[in-house]
Amino acid sequence: MSRDIPESDWKLFRQLHPVALNRFCERVLADIAHIVADTKATPHERYLSIYKLVEQRDRTIGEAFNDLRRSTAIMRLLTICSHSLITQDEIERFTQETRNVIARFSTQRA
């Protein structure tokens, strides 16, 4: 797999990156709200669940969003796609070359 991303895709990815990050954070906050609302668990159990969730999601956020450079863009994009953080309409805005890489990756993961 080529590590180079076409310039137009790099520009698009930089636009979609914060959108995907916000979607990820919204999911985490919704998960936290669900834990907080679980009155069957003690406050300490809920705290521990939230702590564990944030710890897990922090690893994911690093894999998907940290070290944003053109040379890492394809890997970051594939990670973001694997978590369904960009829509099919947004994927369709990338060049055919990049869509092919995404499709190959998605097929391999299935």
Side-chain angles (χ1 to χ4, degrees):
M1 170 176 52
S2 172
R3 293 177 61 102
D4 295 333
I5 188 169
E7 179 68 25
S8 62
D9 288 344
W10 170 237
K11 288 179 181 179
L12 174 58
F13 181 61
R14 288 188 319 192
Q15 291 172 2
L16 292 175
H17 188 266
V19 173
L21 177 61
N22 283 334
R23 288 175 183 152
F24 182 84
C25 291
E26 285 174 353
R27 286 183 192 172
V28 173
L29 292 172
D31 290 343
I32 289 170
H34 181 73
I35 293 169
V36 168
D38 179 12
T39 57
K40 294 176 191 164
T42 68
H44 185 243
E45 290 169 333
R46 287 183 280 172
Y47 168 82
L48 291 174
S49 294
I50 290 168
Y51 181 82
K52 185 176 182 180
L53 175 76
V54 170
E55 195 172 51
Q56 292 168 344
R57 296 306 191 271
D58 192 52
R59 281 191 296 275
T60 303
I61 208 168
E63 294 169 1
F65 298 101
N66 290 354
D67 193 29
L68 183 63
R69 295 179 283 139
R70 191 167 174 178
S71 64
T72 62
I74 289 291
M75 291 308 298
R76 298 297 167 261
L77 177 59
L78 293 176
T79 303
I80 287 168
C81 288
S82 75
H83 291 283
S84 302
L85 294 169
I86 60 174
T87 66
Q88 189 59 42
D89 287 341
E90 291 164 339
I91 291 171
E92 293 299 321
R93 294 171 53 196
F94 287 99
T95 62
Q96 186 64 50
E97 175 185 353
T98 299
R99 290 195 313 265
N100 289 344
V101 171
I102 293 168
R104 277 194 310 272
F105 179 76
S106 296
T107 302
Q108 291 172 356
R109 290 181 48 100

